Amino acid sequence: MPVLNIVCPDCRHAYRSLVVEGARVPKVWVCPKCGGRRAEVAGVISEAQHPWAGASMDACCG
């Protein structure tokens, strides 16, 4: 499951988002800081295996 780096061009706020396996990547990213609807994926931070990707969801981001 990739962790995406999202950047808002309106206020320059950067944040991360985990894309859960099997979920669709949003077409519109909303900035949590200014509410702008033009945030864009600036890159993938990690393609590492996330604990939620396995059969067990008991642990996360420990």
Side-chain angles (χ1 to χ4, degrees):
M1 286 188 266
V3 176
L4 304 177
N5 188 33
I6 313 294
V7 178
C8 177
D10 297 331
C11 71
R12 297 188 189 154
H13 177 65
Y15 60 99
R16 296 177 180 175
S17 180
L18 171 70
V19 178
V20 178
E21 188 174 340
R24 286 185 282 170
V25 177
K27 292 181 182 180
V28 176
W29 291 94
V30 178
C31 176
K33 185 174 180 183
C34 75
R37 300 179 59 85
R38 299 185 325 130
E40 301 172 340
V41 176
V44 176
I45 296 171
S46 172
E47 286 280 354
Q49 186 74 359
H50 189 276
W52 285 1
S56 173
M57 292 187 185
D58 295 339
C60 177
C61 305

